């Protein structure tokens, strides 16, 4: 028995069927479901006949021809990959330039800082990339391209699965992997043995004329289709999630709660198709926030534990459940996820009027300025306070808090550790009108000290009344205006982000399926094998084994060699075939051309 395998010389037979070769016929066709590229003709309408009817007919043919050509280009894999590249390229400004949908304040700051670029970016839609016309056009074209490419290929692949492997070409010796020998076994016996062996090796095989035709590796094309279908699923899932998503922030002090309604959010953003009824009904109460930090070493002050213990319930009558939310371990309720994103301190203060009546008693959340939780904010007493003259007024206190006081010095005080080792609260006192009733939005963490209706309390030296308080200490307001006490009860607050984005499970499924399909299309080889057995002119059976793959593969010759060895065990070489000639079935035995064995040079 002799075999030929591809070598690196100039005479090597290509792994794919040569263009225009009629020898392979249907045997080399449809190894892939990829559409055939067509050249662009000069005119779809051909010659135009005279008269109005000829012009109309020619125009219709031209329009239809160009539409069909455009559709073929749009549904080609080349254009789909180009659109996918453009989509990823278009997402770059969305991550580098502030977006209206995520942070409108940063957009306004950017516009004020870049007077020249901002109008250009605004016209190009770079402040709302993902909802811009050009990004949506790329997204929709990619979606249409993938569908238009996959649907016909899917039907073609289904047709291939329902059909049988094509019959053997006339000249098997032209294929890249080929082996032949002569045997005393009958042709029918050889074909039956070959059919049995091929089916045992999980080939789809059948007898076609004087040869057994078999095919294997259909999962390559299936993987290719699964990959592109998974891309469509991911596109739909992402689009669905963006249209119906919600994202809101809520700051909650220990002991306070939250219900998932629009009025409860401090900040809220949603997709274009969001409706209030889409919010998942649930509520929770922050029972305790726990934070621990490194006490020594180079990582002193680094957080070791951030966790929020909550009690939550789902629906109006849901049972109360306990959950501890940690960083990157959110609370999941249906499509909603509650993330722990920030933390700070809320000193409790008590404000009394001149008669000693408590007009304000509350834990006030302050915003951290650094990693050691140096914090600032404002205390606003808007109702219930009356000055010594009996007139209703509002009080305001600029608050500055440090959990671990570093000691008195020049400038502002600061914290040297984020834990509550030596808490100090610094206050500056104001009275009058806070401006909260003017209808103009106001930052709850700042006092509008430029407001002429808000006047500072003055000390004996005529300066703004200020004081640094330890827990339990009180600052007296001048002229019997009352007092403010820094209570010993210092609470902590936690910032939560509530995200609801449907379609994430579909997107994950699509991503996993895409990876599986891509692996199948890359590593599975689709190939066809034929075993021909016919009687030569001298009555001796000539056996030919050949294979054809979609692309060059070192495994194909090896597989053909193994198959030929198994068939050879059933139909061994004729004892008189000393020279092991290549007796092709369409040649006379005395006119055969010997085939060199493996490792022998060609002559």
């Amino acid at each position: 028995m002799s075999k030929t395998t591809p070598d690196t010389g100039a005479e090597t037979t290509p792994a794919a069927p040569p263009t225009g070769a009629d020898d392979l016929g249907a045997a080399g066709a449809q190894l892939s479901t990829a559409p055939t590229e067509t050249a662009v003709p000069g005119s779809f309408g051909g010659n135009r006949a005279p008269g109005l009817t000829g012009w109309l007919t020619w125009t219709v043919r031209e329009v239809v021809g160009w539409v069909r050509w455009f559709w073929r280009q749009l549904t080609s894999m080349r254009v789909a990959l180009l659109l996918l590249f453009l989509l990823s390229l278009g997402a770059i400004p969305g991550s580098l330039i502030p977006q209206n949908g995520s942070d409108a304040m940063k957009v306004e700051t950017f516009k004020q800082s870049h007077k020249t670029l901002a109008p250009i970016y605004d016209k190009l839609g770079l402040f709302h990339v993902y909802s811009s016309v050009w990004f949506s056009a790329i997204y929709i074209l990619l979606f249409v391209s993938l569908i238009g490419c996959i649907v016909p290929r899917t039907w073609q692949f289904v047709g291939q699965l329902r059909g049988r492997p094509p019959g053997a070409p006339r000249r098997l010796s032209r294929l890249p992997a080929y082996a032949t020998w002569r045997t005393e076994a009958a042709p029918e016996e050889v074909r039956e043995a070959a059919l049995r062996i091929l089916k045992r090796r999980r080939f789809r095989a059948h007898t076609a004329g004087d040869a057994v035709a078999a095919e294997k590796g259909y999962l390559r094309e299936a993987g290719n289709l699964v990959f592109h279908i998974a891309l469509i699923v991911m596109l739909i899932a992402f689009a669905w999630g963006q249209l119906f998503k919600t994202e809101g922030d809520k700051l909650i002090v220990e002991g306070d709660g939250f219900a998932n309604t629009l009025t409860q959010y401090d900040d809220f953003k949603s997709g274009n198709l969001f409706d209030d009824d889409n919010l998942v009904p649930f509520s929770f109460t922050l029972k305790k926030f726990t934070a621990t930090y490194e006490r020594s070493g180079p990582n002193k002050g680094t957080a070791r534990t951030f966790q929020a213990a909550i009690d939550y319930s789902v629906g109006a009558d849901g049972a109360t459940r306990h959950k501890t939310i940690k960083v990157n371990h959110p609370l999941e309720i249906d499509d909603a996820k509650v993330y722990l994103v920030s933390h700070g301190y809320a000193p409790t203060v008590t404000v009394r009027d001149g008669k000693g009546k408590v007009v304000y008693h509350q834990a006030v959340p302050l915003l951290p300025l650094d990693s050691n939780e140096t914090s600032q904010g404002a205390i606003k007493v808007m109702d219930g306070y009356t000055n010594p003259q009996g007139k209703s007024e509002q009080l305001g206190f600029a608050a500055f808090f440090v959990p671990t006081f570093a000691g008195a010095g020049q400038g502002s005080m600061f914290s040297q550790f984020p834990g509550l080792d030596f808490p100090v609260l610094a206050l500056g006192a104001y009275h009058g009108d806070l401006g909260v009733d003017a209808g103009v939005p106001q930052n709850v963490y700042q006092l509008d000290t430029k407001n002429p209706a808000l006047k500072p309390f003055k000390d004996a030296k005529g300066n703004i009344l200020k004081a640094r308080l330890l827990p339990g200490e009180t600052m007296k307001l001048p002229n019997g205006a009352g007092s403010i006490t820094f209570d010993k009860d210092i609470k902590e607050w936690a910032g939560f982000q509530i995200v609801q984005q449907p379609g994430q499970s579909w997107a994950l499924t699509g991503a996993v399926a895409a990876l599986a399909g891509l692996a199948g299309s890359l590593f599975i080889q689709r190939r066809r094998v034929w075993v021909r057995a016919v009687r030569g002119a001298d009555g001796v059976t000539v056996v030919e084994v050949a294979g054809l793959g979609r692309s060059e593969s070192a495994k194909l010759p090896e597989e053909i060699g193994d198959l030929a060895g198994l068939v050879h065990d059933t139909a061994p070489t004729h004892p008189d075939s000393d020279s092991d000639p290549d007796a092709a079935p369409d040649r006379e035995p005395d006119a055969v051309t010997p085939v060199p064995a493996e490792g022998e040079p060609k002559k």
Side-chain angles (χ1 to χ4, degrees):
M1 180 181 69
S2 64
K3 298 193 294 181
T4 62
T5 57
D7 55 36
T8 57
E11 298 180 5
T12 300
T13 307
T19 305
D22 298 331
D23 293 330
L24 300 182
Q30 295 185 346
L31 270 173
S32 170
T33 57
T36 304
E37 296 290 339
T38 56
V40 181
S43 174
F44 297 100
N47 296 327
R48 184 172 64 187
L52 179 61
T53 303
W55 181 84
L56 289 175
T57 304
W58 179 85
T59 301
V60 170
R61 288 201 303 264
E62 281 286 314
V63 171
V64 172
W66 280 108
V67 169
R68 293 178 63 185
W69 176 83
F70 177 78
W71 175 254
R72 286 196 300 267
Q73 301 307 309
L74 179 62
T75 56
S76 66
M77 194 56 61
R78 179 180 62 253
V79 172
L81 292 175
L82 177 62
L83 291 172
L84 189 61
F85 172 74
L86 290 177
L87 190 70
S88 59
L89 195 65
I92 294 177
S95 59
L96 299 179
I97 301 174
Q99 301 293 294
N100 282 318
S102 58
D103 198 333
M105 295 296 294
K106 283 188 178 180
V107 173
E108 291 300 323
T109 303
F110 184 91
K111 289 181 177 180
Q112 294 175 4
S113 304
H114 303 81
K115 299 294 184 180
T116 304
L117 285 177
I120 300 175
Y121 285 3
D122 205 5
K123 290 182 180 180
L124 295 176
L126 297 183
F127 293 122
H128 50 92
V129 169
Y130 304 111
S131 59
S132 62
V133 175
W134 57 269
F135 191 85
S136 300
I138 297 174
Y139 197 92
I140 294 173
L141 284 175
L142 176 60
F143 188 76
V144 173
S145 176
L146 288 174
I147 292 180
C149 178
I150 290 172
V151 170
R153 294 183 67 173
T154 301
W155 285 117
Q156 183 179 352
F157 182 61
V158 170
Q160 293 180 18
L161 290 177
R162 296 178 62 184
R164 288 186 168 188
R170 188 167 62 92
R171 294 185 179 181
L172 291 178
S173 59
R174 296 178 61 91
L175 298 186
Y178 174 77
T180 183
W181 70 94
R182 290 155 55 85
T183 181
E184 291 182 335
E188 295 79 6
E189 182 182 351
V190 176
R191 289 193 289 267
E192 289 177 2
L195 184 63
R196 183 173 61 254
I197 293 170
L198 287 168
K199 288 185 175 181
R200 190 167 62 242
R201 296 171 71 90
R202 298 189 301 278
F203 277 84
R204 293 179 62 216
H206 71 107
T207 302
D210 58 1
V212 175
E215 190 166 5
K216 191 177 183 181
Y218 285 94
L219 287 180
R220 178 188 178 93
E221 289 301 319
N224 193 16
L225 293 175
V226 167
F227 171 74
H228 292 94
I229 292 174
L231 286 182
I232 294 179
V233 173
M234 293 172 62
L235 289 175
I236 295 176
F238 288 144
W240 185 268
Q242 290 297 317
L243 291 173
F244 290 94
K245 75 171 183 179
T246 63
E247 182 179 309
D249 299 311
K250 180 63 179 179
L251 185 151
I252 303 176
V253 180
E254 289 177 327
D256 292 343
F258 167 80
N260 194 24
T261 59
L262 287 180
T263 57
Q264 292 280 301
Y265 283 95
D266 297 332
D267 181 48
F268 185 83
K269 299 182 289 293
S270 64
N272 295 332
L273 299 183
F274 164 76
D275 187 81
D276 294 357
D277 297 333
N278 298 135
L279 287 175
V280 177
F282 69 91
S283 60
F284 66 90
T285 301
L286 176 61
K287 305 300 291 184
K288 178 67 176 177
F289 183 88
T290 304
T292 59
Y293 308 91
E294 290 287 348
R295 285 285 176 179
S296 60
N299 295 324
K300 180 181 179 180
T302 303
R304 297 181 59 188
T305 303
F306 272 171
Q307 59 185 35
I310 66 168
D311 290 337
Y312 73 98
S313 61
V314 180
D317 303 319
T320 301
R321 308 173 189 175
H322 180 75
K323 171 73 174 180
T324 299
I325 303 178
K326 301 179 181 179
V327 178
N328 296 326
H329 292 82
L331 168 66
E332 298 186 24
I333 304 175
D334 294 338
D335 287 335
K337 293 183 178 181
V338 182
Y339 292 92
L340 177 62
V341 294
S342 57
H343 153 261
Y345 290 101
T348 303
V349 297
T350 301
V351 180
R352 294 177 173 87
D353 60 13
K355 298 179 181 180
K357 177 185 175 183
V358 176
V359 295
Y360 185 90
H361 177 73
Q362 188 172 324
V364 183
L366 304 179
L367 300 182
L369 301 176
D370 55 32
S371 59
N372 285 328
E373 299 295 332
T374 302
S375 307
Q376 71 174 4
I379 302 171
K380 299 181 180 181
V381 182
M382 294 177 286
D383 300 305
Y385 174 76
T386 304
N387 63 16
Q389 290 75 34
K391 182 180 178 181
S392 294
E393 273 190 330
Q394 295 176 333
L395 298 179
F397 301 89
F400 201 86
F401 175 78
V402 291
T404 302
F405 186 45
Q410 299 294 327
S412 300
M413 65 180 188
F414 63 93
S415 175
Q416 62 180 2
F417 189 75
L420 285 174
D421 291 350
F422 187 11
V424 173
L425 178 64
L427 298 173
Y430 297 81
H431 67 100
D433 185 2
L434 294 173
V436 294
D437 300 324
V440 179
Q442 195 176 95
N443 192 331
V444 297
Y445 301 102
Q446 289 181 349
L447 286 178
D448 185 10
T449 56
K450 296 181 180 180
N451 179 9
L454 185 64
K455 300 176 182 180
F457 284 105
K458 299 294 183 67
D459 58 15
K461 296 181 180 181
N463 298 320
I464 298 176
L465 180 63
K466 296 181 180 180
R468 290 177 178 173
L469 305 178
L470 297 175
E473 294 184 343
T474 299
M475 180 177 75
K476 296 289 185 179
L477 300 179
N479 303 321
S483 65
I484 179 170
T485 302
F486 176 25
D487 296 342
K488 294 182 178 181
D489 182 19
I490 302 175
K491 295 185 178 181
E492 299 187 54
W493 60 261
F496 296 93
Q497 185 178 70
I498 297 92
V499 178
Q500 186 172 327
Q501 188 167 358
Q504 288 187 332
S505 58
W506 283 100
L508 177 61
T509 302
V512 173
L515 291 176
L518 183 62
S521 64
L522 291 177
F523 298 110
I524 298 176
Q525 297 294 326
R526 187 174 177 185
R527 62 273 194 200
R528 288 171 180 164
V529 173
W530 295 273
V531 179
R532 173 176 285 152
V534 295
R535 289 196 181 276
D538 58 354
V540 179
T541 301
V542 179
V543 182
E544 293 179 290
V545 181
L548 177 66
R550 178 180 172 183
S551 58
E552 288 192 22
S553 173
K555 292 184 178 181
L556 181 61
E558 180 181 347
E559 190 170 30
I560 293 301
D562 293 341
L563 175 61
L566 293 174
V567 177
H568 185 267
D569 292 340
T570 304
T573 304
H574 189 274
D576 294 337
S577 302
D578 296 332
S579 60
D580 194 17
D582 181 12
D586 56 344
R587 299 179 181 178
E588 293 296 329
D590 57 352
V592 296
T593 302
V595 178
E598 290 186 359
E600 295 183 4
K602 294 183 178 181
K603 297 180 179 180

